[in-house]
Amino acid sequence: MAHRNSESMMMSEKSASLRSTTSRQSADSDGDTASATSIDSDSQDQVSSFSSTKEFRCLSGETVQSVASEITYLCPYQEPILGTLRLTTYRLHFQSTDRNTPLVLDVPLCVISRIDKYGGQTSKGDHSYGLEIACKDMRNLRFAHNKQEKQTRKELTEKLAMWAFPVTHKQRVFAFKYTEKFPENGWNVYKPMEEYERMGVPNDSWRVTKINSSFTLCDTYPTVLAVPAQATDEDLKAVAKFRSRGRLPVLSWLNKETQVSITRCSQPLVGVTTKTSRDDENYLHHIMEANHQGQKLFIIDARPKVNAQANRAKGGGFEDQDAYQNVELVFLDIHNIHVMRESQRKLKDICHPTQDDHHWLSNVESTQWLLHIKAILAGAFKIADKVESHKMSVLVHCSDGWDRTAQMSSLAMLLLDPFYRTIKGFEVLIEKEWISFWP
């Protein structure tokens, strides 16, 4: 049986809420009987007493939902460890009880991607009955229950699934329950107009538009956009029709001294018939002309070229350098998210539960993980080099202009602008380049 989580927290101008994709929860059918200690929101006295102990303290707004003792953590690198497992509205907390220096595991629930039960009431052998929890940070945690004391998994599994995958169970995520006070409201750290003004926008070459205030131009773009000053709102609508999902080129970053820019978008809808768009061609020319020092617009297509060509069969494609004047197109050979996930899975498999030290380097090489990381870093460096050393404006896209595009633009901006290397600047960067432009 398994519970899966594909939820992702989104903060954006589009809503002051967190959005997520659905998780799947399977029914419990192995005949467990509930015996774990349960603490709900009505048991405030218990919660207060529990959170004041030296071993464990709740965060503001965090409440304990379940406590199970005599749980064995099956660590792949040590002997089995006996302890207490606590589930709260924010985390899964395990603390050993069989050693002088306690071992503590603190797992935020948002890190959990899958919950599996293994073994049944008839399973034989030590530690043959319990839970296995797969985490997004590559940890796999196994907790064995004591069947003789009927400390079963059912209640713990149901509560864990409910709080680990809150949107699926119509619960609010813990971020809304967290009550600690801070001097600055985190929801207001990123203010689009302040960020544009920091970069010197609006100016003679760039303007700010709210044409997308109702998300009619592009339903996955923010409401406030910076675009070339020469482009009218009608131009924007025409260009959006020629770009996948309406994700037309918009400003990500501008050097206010040199006016060299980084813009982002999705692939053009060229198709097998090699369609062209005069509006799109003119729009990219406006981006190039906004940089008074540049003679070319450098287009970064994060995909492998063969993948970009294959996308033509689905109506996508890439810019034809014969149709677009004064552009240079380069492919970065960064694979899509499915290839990345498979590579990460292979990397996880060679690390857990056992490691082959004799073949470690060849095993790592076989995952191709380091090649993917190299391609991403090399692409970011190429963008930064074109902007800083060659004074060329850069347009970045992949297929739909989110995962690989955001990686390229945000890493390049980290290299180019020291503001993004501050705590507040990094918060602004994540919300601007990732959350605001995410579907």
Side-chain angles (χ1 to χ4, degrees):
M1 300 293 177
H3 302 272
R4 293 180 185 270
N5 174 33
S6 58
E7 300 171 356
S8 58
M9 295 170 55
M10 299 290 183
M11 297 190 307
S12 73
E13 304 161 81
K14 302 169 190 173
S15 62
S17 64
L18 300 171
R19 300 182 293 169
S20 91
T21 56
T22 58
S23 304
R24 294 183 298 173
Q25 175 182 355
S26 64
D28 189 314
S29 61
D30 63 353
D32 290 339
T33 57
S35 66
T37 304
S38 176
I39 304 178
D40 56 27
S41 57
D42 296 327
S43 306
Q44 292 302 317
D45 291 339
Q46 284 179 283
V47 170
S48 300
S49 173
F50 188 80
S51 62
S52 65
T53 62
K54 292 182 179 179
E55 295 82 4
F56 179 86
R57 287 186 178 275
C58 285
L59 300 174
S60 299
E62 180 183 17
T63 57
V64 179
Q65 298 299 306
S66 185
V67 180
S69 58
E70 301 297 314
I71 299 295
T72 303
Y73 168 50
L74 303 179
C75 178
Y77 312 115
Q78 302 180 38
E79 294 295 320
I81 302 168
L82 190 66
T84 299
L85 190 62
R86 299 176 175 93
L87 170 65
T88 77
T89 50
Y90 168 64
R91 58 186 146 173
L92 193 64
H93 178 91
F94 174 84
Q95 183 166 324
S96 65
T97 55
D98 62 352
R99 52 188 62 199
N100 294 330
T101 303
L103 178 140
V104 175
L105 289 175
D106 221 12
V107 184
L109 298 181
C110 62
V111 172
I112 296 174
S113 62
R114 181 184 175 95
I115 305 166
D116 284 313
K117 294 180 291 185
Y118 67 89
Q121 291 289 355
T122 59
S123 299
K124 297 181 180 179
D126 293 337
H127 316 311
S128 61
Y129 176 85
L131 289 176
E132 182 169 359
I133 299 169
C135 300
K136 299 171 187 175
D137 59 6
M138 299 181 64
R139 285 183 291 178
N140 260 47
L141 307 174
R142 289 173 66 92
F143 297 102
H145 290 248
N146 188 334
K147 290 185 295 183
Q148 281 67 36
E149 296 184 11
K150 294 186 178 181
Q151 287 187 322
T152 69
R153 306 165 296 187
K154 184 175 182 179
E155 181 180 351
L156 181 60
T157 302
E158 290 175 351
K159 288 191 175 234
L160 180 56
M162 181 174 69
W163 293 106
F165 315 136
V167 176
T168 302
H169 296 84
K170 296 180 172 55
Q171 296 284 336
R172 300 191 81 188
V173 297
F174 179 72
F176 291 107
K177 301 174 184 294
Y178 189 49
T179 57
E180 186 168 340
K181 302 298 181 182
F182 293 92
E184 185 171 13
N185 185 349
W187 295 101
N188 297 327
V189 169
Y190 171 57
K191 297 178 180 178
M193 286 308 304
E194 284 188 8
E195 172 65 359
Y196 285 135
E197 288 169 5
R198 188 187 70 84
M199 296 186 293
V201 177
N203 56 37
D204 292 341
S205 302
W206 295 91
R207 68 182 180 94
V208 174
T209 176
K210 295 186 178 179
I211 188 176
N212 200 40
S213 59
S214 300
F215 307 107
T216 54
L217 181 69
C218 177
D219 60 3
T220 59
Y221 265 18
T223 57
V224 181
L225 303 170
V227 297
Q230 297 182 62
T232 66
D233 284 355
E234 291 305 312
D235 292 334
L236 301 182
K237 293 175 183 177
V239 173
K241 291 178 181 178
F242 191 66
R243 292 282 167 171
S244 176
R245 299 177 182 262
R247 294 170 70 91
L248 73 160
V250 294
L251 183 69
S252 281
W253 183 80
L254 181 72
N255 184 322
K256 64 181 179 181
E257 303 297 332
T258 64
Q259 293 299 296
V260 182
S261 67
I262 297 176
T263 48
R264 60 179 294 173
C265 63
S266 62
Q267 64 182 336
L269 299 178
V270 175
V272 293
T273 58
T274 318
K275 290 185 292 186
T276 60
S277 166
R278 177 61 65 183
D279 295 305
D280 196 74
E281 294 163 15
N282 290 337
Y283 187 81
L284 264 58
H285 190 69
H286 293 331
I287 293 176
M288 186 203 72
E289 287 187 327
N291 170 18
H292 304 303
Q293 303 179 62
Q295 302 299 318
K296 273 189 176 183
L297 177 64
F298 193 70
I299 301 178
I300 291 278
D301 191 325
R303 302 168 292 180
K305 186 174 182 179
V306 64
N307 291 20
Q309 290 172 328
N311 266 309
R312 284 184 169 178
K314 296 186 258 185
F318 53 91
E319 294 82 0
D320 184 349
Q321 295 183 73
D322 293 331
Y324 291 83
Q325 294 181 353
N326 301 317
V327 303
E328 180 180 347
L329 175 65
V330 171
F331 294 93
L332 293 184
D333 203 32
I334 299 173
H335 290 274
N336 62 33
I337 192 170
H338 307 292
V339 175
M340 296 293 185
R341 283 174 175 163
E342 178 62 15
S343 177
Q344 186 188 43
R345 183 194 64 77
K346 291 177 180 178
L347 182 65
K348 182 177 180 179
D349 287 345
I350 69 170
C351 296
H352 181 90
T354 59
Q355 297 176 6
D356 182 357
D357 292 338
H358 295 293
H359 302 93
W360 172 251
L361 294 178
S362 60
N363 287 342
V364 171
E365 183 180 13
S366 69
T367 69
Q368 296 192 313
W369 180 253
L370 294 179
L371 291 177
H372 297 318
I373 299 299
K374 175 188 174 184
I376 293 169
L377 293 176
F381 177 80
K382 187 182 290 290
I383 295 171
D385 180 61
K386 290 295 181 182
V387 168
E388 183 66 22
S389 301
H390 300 274
K391 301 297 185 284
M392 290 177 65
S393 292
V394 179
L395 173 65
V396 187
H397 72 72
C398 49
S399 295
D400 292 321
W402 41 66
D403 52 359
R404 286 169 286 190
T405 299
Q407 289 173 27
M408 293 297 96
S409 63
S410 57
L411 283 172
M413 289 155 65
L414 276 169
L415 292 170
L416 290 164
D417 194 333
F419 170 68
Y420 298 121
R421 299 194 291 272
T422 66
I423 292 176
K424 181 176 180 178
F426 190 71
E427 292 174 348
V428 168
L429 178 66
I430 294 301
E431 185 156 357
K432 180 173 79 164
E433 285 302 292
W434 289 88
I435 298 173
S436 294
F437 286 92
W438 202 255

